[in-house]
Amino acid sequence: MAGEGKSRLRYWAKRLECPVDEHANYRNTFWCNRDLIPIPEDRRTWTWQGFAGYWVISWTAGSTLLSLGLSAPQAMGCMVGVALISALVAVLAGWPGSHLYLGFTVLCRASWGMRGGFWPVLNRIVTACVWMGIQAYWGGQAVKIMLRAIIGLKFRDLPNTLPVSANVDTASLISFFVFIIIFSPLPMIPPEKLQLPFRFTFVMIAATMFGMLGWTINAAGGAGALMSAPATKSGPSLSWAALFGLQSIVGSQASGCLGQSDWTRYAKNPNAALFGQFVAAPIFIVVTSVCGILITSGAATIYGEYIWNPFELLLTIQDHSMTPAARAGTFFAGLGFMVDQLALCQMLNGISTGMDMAALCPKWVHPRFE
């Protein structure tokens, strides 16, 4: 009986092994499978545009700096430093991917050792699970904005049937599950085929950002009072506040920067990753943060309060007005943010975490990018 049990166990262990490509030059082992080996040439499809779109971030970074006592122009200047440091780290961390075609998961073994490398990988898996929940929540808020715009007052004023202890309302919970349903098929898309969808995402979020900027400045009659407000600190305390803010924001972007090799390994050539990171990244980080400051400043003139979160700003617009123009504008803005959240969940939490999980047991676990 014991022999028969072991035989069946070996049978199922063999059946459940990860598939191996035809004419493959590797075997599934304790250390290796299809997604951990250097990416073959036919899967290197990304050009610089794909890497450039990665960096439309830092919308709310200005709030961190302003809360520390900097003025808006000083915060913008500080964001230039953030952008340059982040770009430099991304280039250095992404170099092994664009030249050796290896991801973060395998590179950890170089510094931590073959078995020690499991620790940073496991650490990133747990962190990504947390961030997946956060990004999915905001994706749900984008869906909520869209549903409010489509359905109108019935959904905006939908009674909350959940207790206060739930820390979420009924409309948000419904929207969250809608977002999860929309996201569910995306992990089936291989990373090498994601460049076109990510380009589309970049165009949509850029159009959303500049559309909101134009509306805010027009409705507020200018850039708002925040742009002319003086710094609340001076001298050494201002310098230390700027340094603290710079360090905090760079730290918040560190995970995405350090994991760049997960994506640069798909670069069509090394220069594609270099240009997309070192040239485009600083530009888009600065532009995004400046737009965030300008939109918040203008919105404060309109609504009398500083609303740094763009999702909350769109919900506030709907709370104040549900005219056809307001509904159309918030719908398309919500659509842009929803697509952006889908891309974030897929890029930062889905694919990278799948590769990390594959490293824990590569013979039997792999990301199902097919």
Side-chain angles (χ1 to χ4, degrees), residues 215-303:
W215 171 82
T216 305
I217 291 178
N218 179 66
L226 188 61
M227 297 304 298
S228 57
T232 57
K233 291 185 178 180
S234 60
S237 60
L238 177 62
S239 300
W240 282 110
L243 183 61
F244 178 79
L246 186 147
Q247 180 184 2
S248 299
I249 298 171
V250 170
S252 69
Q253 298 177 1
S255 178
C257 292
L258 292 176
Q260 280 296 296
S261 56
D262 283 337
W263 295 99
T264 56
R265 65 199 297 232
Y266 292 99
K268 204 165 189 176
N269 58 70
N271 290 333
L274 179 64
F275 183 82
Q277 292 171 323
F278 198 65
V279 178
I283 295 173
F284 289 130
I285 290 175
V286 172
V287 169
T288 306
S289 62
V290 169
C291 285
I293 292 173
L294 290 171
I295 291 170
T296 302
S297 179
T301 301
I302 302 169
Y303 297 113

Side-chain angles (χ1 to χ4, degrees), residues 1-360:
M1 290 293 292
E4 183 180 348
K6 289 182 179 179
S7 177
R8 291 184 65 84
L9 187 62
R10 283 194 295 268
Y11 168 78
W12 282 108
K14 187 67 177 176
R15 283 289 302 272
L16 294 174
E17 280 187 15
C18 296
V20 177
D21 292 334
E22 190 176 356
H23 308 303
N25 59 356
Y26 67 91
R27 292 184 300 110
N28 289 332
T29 67
F30 184 72
W31 304 108
C32 172
N33 71 9
R34 178 179 185 266
D35 293 286
L36 299 178
I37 63 171
I39 291 294
E41 188 173 359
D42 63 321
R43 296 182 66 192
R44 299 177 212 153
T45 58
W46 280 55
T47 58
W48 71 268
Q49 294 97 327
F51 296 102
Y54 182 93
W55 297 101
V56 183
I57 54 178
S58 304
W59 183 297
T60 60
S63 64
T64 302
L65 298 168
L66 294 174
S67 67
L68 293 172
L70 278 70
S71 66
Q74 289 168 343
M76 293 177 183
C78 194
M79 284 305 302
V80 174
V82 169
L84 292 174
I85 294 172
S86 297
L88 180 60
V89 173
V91 168
L92 295 175
W95 188 93
S98 60
H99 289 75
L100 303 176
Y101 316 112
L102 295 171
F104 172 86
T105 307
V106 175
L107 294 174
C108 285
R109 298 171 183 172
S111 53
W112 290 79
M114 294 298 287
R115 288 180 172 79
F118 287 122
W119 167 245
V121 167
L122 185 61
N123 200 329
R124 197 167 73 146
I125 290 172
V126 174
T127 305
C129 290
V130 175
W131 275 108
M132 184 69 175
I134 294 172
Q135 299 293 357
Y137 170 79
W138 289 117
Q141 292 299 291
V143 173
K144 181 180 178 180
I145 293 165
M146 295 169 62
L147 291 177
R148 276 180 159 201
I150 295 170
I151 300 173
L153 296 176
K154 287 185 178 180
F155 194 80
R156 190 193 72 173
D157 302 329
L158 184 70
N160 181 27
T161 59
L162 300 173
V164 177
S165 59
N167 291 313
V168 66
D169 59 85
T170 302
S172 294
L173 191 61
I174 293 171
S175 303
F176 173 81
F177 283 114
V178 171
F179 178 81
I180 293 298
I181 292 170
I182 296 171
F183 173 76
S184 296
L186 296 185
M188 304 299 288
I189 304 174
E192 59 267 27
K193 296 181 180 179
L194 281 172
Q195 182 174 217
L196 184 59
F198 284 169
R199 284 184 186 176
F200 176 72
T201 300
F202 169 70
V203 171
M204 287 199 66
I205 192 61
T208 299
M209 182 173 64
F210 287 114
M212 290 181 66
L213 177 63
W215 171 82
T216 305
I217 291 178
N218 179 66
L226 188 61
M227 297 304 298
S228 57
T232 57
K233 291 185 178 180
S234 60
S237 60
L238 177 62
S239 300
W240 282 110
L243 183 61
F244 178 79
L246 186 147
Q247 180 184 2
S248 299
I249 298 171
V250 170
S252 69
Q253 298 177 1
S255 178
C257 292
L258 292 176
Q260 280 296 296
S261 56
D262 283 337
W263 295 99
T264 56
R265 65 199 297 232
Y266 292 99
K268 204 165 189 176
N269 58 70
N271 290 333
L274 179 64
F275 183 82
Q277 292 171 323
F278 198 65
V279 178
I283 295 173
F284 289 130
I285 290 175
V286 172
V287 169
T288 306
S289 62
V290 169
C291 285
I293 292 173
L294 290 171
I295 291 170
T296 302
S297 179
T301 301
I302 302 169
Y303 297 113
E305 59 177 322
Y306 292 116
I307 307 172
W308 285 99
N309 190 303
F311 300 92
E312 293 179 0
L313 175 58
L314 292 172
L315 291 170
T316 299
I317 293 172
Q318 292 179 334
D319 288 338
H320 284 80
S321 174
M322 288 294 279
T323 63
R327 289 172 66 174
T330 53
F331 171 82
F332 286 110
L335 178 62
F337 282 117
M338 184 197 73
V339 172
D340 186 54
Q341 291 304 119
L342 289 171
L344 285 174
C345 288
Q346 175 77 330
M347 177 180 282
L348 296 181
N349 305 314
I351 291 175
S352 298
T353 307
M355 295 176 185
D356 289 343
M357 294 180 73
L360 297 180

